[in-house]
Amino acid sequence: MTAPGDTLYVVVATLGTNKRKQIFQDAIKEVCNNHALLRREVVVCHWDACTSWGLQVADYGAWAVQRKLERGDESFMWAVEPTLKSCFMPWGKAT
């Protein structure tokens, strides 16, 4: 949860060209601005995935949770559940 005046940092893996980075950055900012409080700055940070193991872990965790929510497939949750604190769907029920 953010409050007015906060800065929200969104870290994403590098996507290749500068044009693709800008398109991705604009999309993230649009979603954040449409679903969050006003008067908050959104900073998108691009990191090369191969240099940050944390991005790879976060991506795997998000993928495993998505499979569980959308398909009912829990076979990859073994790596996520020991540290998963909550799971919510801010835009409604998974389809």
Side-chain angles (χ1 to χ4, degrees):
M1 183 70 147
T2 61
D6 285 352
T7 300
L8 174 64
Y9 291 93
V10 180
V11 180
V12 298
T14 300
L15 296 173
T17 67
N18 285 335
K19 182 177 180 180
R20 289 185 73 192
K21 284 182 187 179
Q22 187 61 50
I23 291 169
F24 195 62
Q25 182 170 321
D26 292 343
I28 289 172
K29 286 186 176 184
E30 181 181 346
V31 169
C32 290
N33 289 333
N34 289 340
H35 297 281
L37 297 171
L38 300 175
R39 300 186 317 260
R40 178 199 17 74
E41 181 181 6
V42 177
V43 177
V44 180
C45 305
H46 296 272
W47 289 355
D48 189 357
C50 68
T51 65
S52 178
W53 63 268
L55 282 176
Q56 295 171 13
V57 171
D59 183 55
Y60 181 87
W63 174 78
V65 170
Q66 178 184 3
R67 284 184 70 97
K68 178 181 177 181
L69 293 175
E70 291 183 353
R71 300 180 184 182
D73 180 0
E74 296 188 24
S75 56
F76 300 96
M77 290 297 292
W78 61 269
V80 178
E81 286 178 336
T83 58
L84 186 65
K85 300 292 181 197
S86 66
C87 185
F88 66 96
M89 295 168 284
W91 294 284
K93 192 173 182 180
T95 58

